[in-house]
Amino acid sequence: MRALGKQTISAGQLAILYVSYMIGSSIINIPNPMIHFAGNMAWLSITVSALMGMLLLSLVLYLFRCYPDDEYTACLNRVYGRWIAGVFIVLLILMLFLMLAYIILDIGDFFTNTMMVETPMYVFNTLTIVVAAYTVYAGIEVMGRMFFLLMGSMMLAVVVIVFLAVPLTRTETLLPLFTEGIKPVLHGIYFSFGFPFGELFLFSVILPFVRKDSRRDAGKWLYAMTALSWLLLLTVVIITLMTLGPLAGDRKFSLFAVARLIKVGNFMVGLEAIVGIALIAGSFTKATIVLFILNYVTARFFKLDDDKLLLPAISFLTFLLSMTMFRTEDEFSFAVQVGWPFVVMTVGIIPLMLAALITLLRRNMGRR
Amino acid sequence: MMERVLVLLLTGVALFAVNASRVRRSGRRERWILASFGVPALYLAVMYLTDSDWPNLHDLANQSLGRIAHLIVKWLEQT
């Protein structure tokens, strides 16, 4: 296999991609189920999940330091050997197909539930996957530069909603605490660790693209962006709770629902339309990053010279999955809220944790 | 049905058109690997066109890891 010309990114661009990935779709999808599961203690669940995410990130960075020039698949091959690593990589590829299909379905779900209720879902799914595929074709350098603008607009939209929603908030909706004991908090942790904090392990695939002169700062940026992701999600969850009160756990896309309530004088109404587009841009960035990772892992698994050869096939398969997997929204919600966190933990996090442990033991015993 | 055929055609053309030159330049092994992706694509395409409820990828996840996840969540929901 000939050596591939590789695009590289700076630590700052890595940070942009990372924060796009972490809060892209979670900022609009997290508040409702979190509040549904954990109630007024959703803030605690998010915080604990973020701390667990930081620990997971330390393992990701440790493996990157031990194998700085290896792609993630090569790193797994080194640790586990070809056959066991092969099984883990196949499971990872299947997981990524599922993840990407879920994100695309979620984008279509958002539009058909909120702003464009009579438009068929395939319009949104097709447009998302085609634009994402062309973005991945452009390469990770282009993604890193482009997503700065998209994420900037999204974060601006979130900040605007949060500030304008403050007059509508009621602090009494944050109480009482621990009404049903610790299990709701644990349930919230189970969900929010699976989505989005546990998913950060996938950035093991992106880290080797960071330029060598920028790698020293990569860890600091990633920790800072994890903290930023936590802060944004926490703020959104609290504002949602304080604005929507008991309804917060029942309203899908609750941040959009908060935006609907905002009226400034009699002239600034209907902000949710602009805000909705900015919010869904975040989901698009996450879809693109996941498609990039899926394409790259698949190309490395098959040891292809051209790492974009399979991109259309992967994109087309994902589109078909998004159109055929679920009959009802309840089935989709169940898959994401119940099954998905466990899939992330078993297929993604456990192999990575074991790889870090095995690497640590080998290094301590003087073997590499 | 015709609407779905059109959707598949348009999506396929939009995705694969840009790849034509890459496929022409690729070797035999790469073409076989690309062709192997056609098997699940064909299965899912037929499922989509006929609006059938055949086994899918999420069923694989639900029937395996999903069962354990369901037990965990059931325990977490008990008060």
Side-chain angles (χ1 to χ4, degrees), chain B residues 19-44:
Chain B
N19 212 40
S21 57
R22 282 177 192 270
V23 174
R24 264 185 254 117
R25 282 196 309 264
S26 63
R28 201 175 160 151
R29 181 179 170 269
E30 282 84 15
R31 288 184 197 189
W32 272 112
I33 292 169
L34 189 58
S36 68
F37 276 74
V39 175
L42 187 65
Y43 175 80
L44 292 171

Side-chain angles (χ1 to χ4, degrees), chain B:
Chain B
M1 172 92 150
M2 276 316 297
E3 186 185 350
R4 290 180 180 221
V5 170
L6 204 59
V7 166
L8 285 186
L9 276 173
L10 287 173
T11 309
V13 165
L15 288 171
F16 284 95
V18 77
N19 212 40
S21 57
R22 282 177 192 270
V23 174
R24 264 185 254 117
R25 282 196 309 264
S26 63
R28 201 175 160 151
R29 181 179 170 269
E30 282 84 15
R31 288 184 197 189
W32 272 112
I33 292 169
L34 189 58
S36 68
F37 276 74
V39 175
L42 187 65
Y43 175 80
L44 292 171
V46 171
M47 202 194 305
Y48 175 60
L49 289 172
T50 56
D51 198 19
S52 307
D53 197 12
W54 297 342
N56 210 323
L57 185 59
H58 73 292
D59 294 313
L60 184 70
N62 284 345
Q63 295 305 319
S64 54
L65 301 172
R67 288 178 192 263
I68 305 169
H70 188 56
L71 289 171
I72 294 171
V73 168
K74 221 169 149 185
W75 177 78
L76 289 168
E77 282 173 346
Q78 286 169 1
T79 46

Side-chain angles (χ1 to χ4, degrees), chain A residues 30-204:
Chain A
I30 282 284
N32 154 246
M34 282 301 298
I35 295 165
H36 182 73
F37 299 141
N40 297 343
M41 301 305 296
W43 59 270
L44 181 60
S45 300
I46 287 262
T47 306
V48 171
S49 295
L51 287 170
M52 288 166 66
M54 292 279 195
L55 282 172
L56 179 63
L57 182 58
S58 68
L59 297 179
V60 168
L61 291 169
Y62 172 70
L63 276 176
F64 180 54
R65 275 197 309 276
C66 293
Y67 307 105
D69 296 317
D70 284 345
E71 303 117 355
Y72 186 56
T73 50
C75 168
L76 290 179
N77 275 334
R78 271 194 199 244
V79 173
Y80 293 113
R82 215 172 65 163
W83 293 105
I84 298 175
V87 171
F88 283 142
I89 294 165
V90 167
L91 289 173
L92 179 64
I93 289 170
L94 291 175
M95 190 200 98
L96 285 165
F97 267 113
L98 215 52
M99 184 176 181
L100 184 56
Y102 285 173
I103 297 170
I104 288 169
L105 201 46
D106 183 59
I107 292 172
D109 206 26
F110 174 79
F111 278 113
T112 53
N113 269 293
T114 56
M115 295 191 284
M116 299 171 82
V117 293
E118 293 190 32
T119 307
M121 177 105 62
Y122 62 72
V123 171
F124 307 110
N125 292 12
T126 305
L127 285 171
T128 306
I129 196 64
V130 168
V131 176
Y134 278 89
T135 311
V136 172
Y137 265 124
I140 196 165
E141 273 185 43
V142 169
M143 283 162 62
R145 288 183 212 134
M146 185 177 124
F147 289 0
F148 176 73
L149 291 168
L150 287 176
M151 285 316 292
S153 68
M154 194 189 110
M155 289 208 213
L156 183 66
V158 171
V159 166
V160 163
I161 299 173
V162 166
F163 272 112
L164 292 179
V166 165
L168 302 168
T169 56
R170 296 164 292 149
T171 47
E172 62 270 19
T173 55
L174 292 174
L175 296 171
L177 306 176
F178 287 108
T179 45
E180 290 175 47
I182 194 75
K183 277 189 181 175
V185 179
L186 293 175
H187 195 172
I189 293 169
Y190 170 80
F191 175 71
S192 56
F193 186 62
F195 167 53
F197 291 105
E199 294 170 346
L200 67 83
F201 82 91
L202 284 169
F203 259 68
S204 306

